[in-house]
Amino acid sequence: MRRIAVVPVLLVLLAGCTSQGLTVADVWGRPPPSAATNAAFYLTINNGGEADQLVSADSSACGTAELHEMYDKGDGVMGMRPVEGIEIPAGGSVTLEPGGLHVMCIGRLADFTPGDHVPLTLEFQNAGTIEVNATIRES
Amino acid sequence: MKRLVIISGSILTLLVILLVGLRLFRPHVFSGTVIQSPEPSFNFTLQSASAPVSLSDFSGKVVVLYFGYTFCPDVCPTTMTDLAKAMKLLGRKADDVQVIMVSVDPERDTAGKLEEYVHAFDPTFIGLTGTPQQIAEVAARYGVYYAKHEGSDASGYLIDHTATVMVINEEGRLKLLESFGTTPEEMAADLAHMIN
């Protein structure tokens, strides 16, 4: 009887950067040119639990961090706009990637070179605060 | 009997040669949209960090023209990275290609900032800016749309813009439009077929 109880406890411990079934993985960003004031972070959110929403992001390496998305306006025109929050459906996943959603790092306070780990704090409506590190790499 | 064998053997051989030849020598299918420009493209003169630069300076080379801005954290770096990768794939042929980025944000992008920006992707890339009127003229002549819109207090204004990469041939005529998301491999293959 006791042996069966060990398994769920182990699973919870092995969950890592998790909160209530939500995991954040593959957090990364490209090294921006030194002349560029802004940078972008990408990541994947896997939701094993109830529907949630990424409400905001913050980083000590950025003056301000905001959630933005690129979108196709048609006729080859790309636009970018801030988004209020990013919905993560129950049992689903959302990937922030080039050409789509991203965390915009506005006013970099440091140089990001390949191999660096930049701290990023993510606020979720239900899951709360999740701290991650963005790996700076070429792609 | 022997003559029949020789004739049918020859016909068969000719057929095989024809089929192989058609496979080997079929024309390159461009990933980009092919344009037949009736006239040479607008010869602009804009400002680089060191001197004025004109499109005609690169006559004899294939020019890859992109309109973007340094404030943009996603689309422009993605395109610049892809173009840099395409140059690497071209190897020696990259010497016959010049990548130029024109800023659609002349108010914030100085020539010096642009040069630093493009050089981070490839030291041969050129970044150009100008007065807002000059930029407006060049963009209009190339059919490039760009418009400011409000971002947040922190981000300042953002610019929606045509993210298409334009490829001008060695005679100065716009030949290809490569849409955003064209892979470095596709870009390199198209460019290789434009270099003589």
Side-chain angles (χ1 to χ4, degrees):
Chain A
M1 221 24 233
R2 233 182 291 151
R3 239 185 309 167
I4 301 169
V6 170
V7 175
V9 170
L10 269 177
L11 282 174
V12 170
L13 288 173
L14 286 169
C17 310
T18 317
S19 196
Q20 290 183 37
L22 198 84
T23 44
V24 180
D26 198 25
V27 189
W28 67 286
R30 283 209 197 88
S34 48
T37 30
N38 303 328
F41 296 123
Y42 310 104
L43 48 113
T44 302
I45 303 163
N46 291 307
N47 191 0
E50 55 183 1
D52 206 337
Q53 191 186 73
L54 174 59
V55 172
S56 68
D58 203 5
S59 174
S60 50
C62 309
T64 312
E66 288 179 357
L67 303 175
H68 279 247
E69 69 170 341
M70 302 302 315
Y71 63 105
D72 196 327
K73 292 183 73 171
D75 289 338
V77 179
M78 293 298 286
M80 181 168 73
R81 59 192 164 199
V83 293
E84 281 296 311
I86 299 172
E87 301 286 341
I88 302 121
S93 78
V94 173
T95 302
L96 281 65
E97 59 191 343
L101 294 160
H102 58 272
V103 174
M104 181 164 167
C105 176
I106 302 166
R108 275 187 302 120
L109 300 170
D111 275 332
F112 298 162
T113 44
D116 282 355
H117 291 96
V118 180
L120 196 56
T121 306
L122 304 168
E123 273 311 318
F124 291 88
Q125 194 161 60
N126 300 326
T129 308
I130 296 183
E131 307 268 358
V132 291
N133 275 307
T135 306
I136 303 298
R137 60 171 203 251
E138 290 297 342
S139 250
Chain B
M1 193 54 209
K2 215 201 246 180
R3 231 183 18 176
L4 197 65
V5 172
I6 293 172
I7 291 172
S8 49
S10 314
I11 293 174
L12 207 65
T13 312
L14 279 173
L15 268 174
V16 171
I17 292 173
L18 192 70
L19 285 170
V20 171
L22 282 174
R23 285 284 298 173
L24 283 176
F25 298 110
R26 64 175 177 214
H28 171 70
V29 177
F30 284 103
S31 300
T33 304
V34 181
I35 303 275
Q36 305 295 353
S37 288
E39 287 179 356
S41 300
F42 176 59
N43 181 22
F44 53 77
T45 299
L46 290 171
Q47 201 59 39
S48 76
S50 44
V53 166
S54 301
L55 177 65
S56 50
D57 293 345
F58 308 105
S59 168
K61 283 194 181 185
V62 173
V63 173
V64 176
L65 190 61
Y66 177 70
F67 291 79
Y69 65 118
T70 71
F71 220 71
C72 156
D74 184 290
V75 169
C76 304
T78 301
T79 304
M80 288 284 114
T81 300
D82 287 347
L83 287 175
K85 284 186 185 161
M87 291 302 111
K88 291 221 166 60
L89 288 170
L90 281 173
R92 294 281 315 272
K93 286 190 169 178
D95 293 344
D96 292 319
V97 180
Q98 178 60 58
V99 174
I100 298 177
M101 174 170 154
V102 173
S103 174
V104 292
D105 191 6
E107 289 164 44
R108 291 187 303 205
D109 284 342
T110 62
K113 196 174 172 196
L114 268 171
E115 181 172 88
E116 247 192 276
Y117 183 84
V118 300
H119 281 184
F121 298 99
D122 186 306
T124 66
F125 289 5
I126 291 174
L128 298 177
T129 185
T131 64
Q133 293 92 310
Q134 285 172 322
I135 299 294
E137 193 194 5
V138 179
R141 296 295 213 111
Y142 283 88
V144 168
Y145 165 88
Y146 64 105
K148 277 187 204 171
H149 71 95
E150 259 184 56
S152 60
D153 286 331
S155 71
Y157 62 80
L158 302 169
I159 302 181
D160 294 346
H161 62 94
T162 304
T164 311
V165 169
M166 329 244 159
V167 183
I168 298 165
N169 71 12
E170 293 161 341
E171 288 80 48
R173 282 166 204 260
L174 180 60
K175 173 83 182 203
L176 281 181
L177 300 177
E178 301 280 11
S179 54
F180 175 70
T182 302
T183 67
E185 293 74 23
E186 289 167 333
M187 191 82 72
D190 280 358
L191 290 172
H193 275 88
M194 291 192 54
I195 296 166
N196 292 317

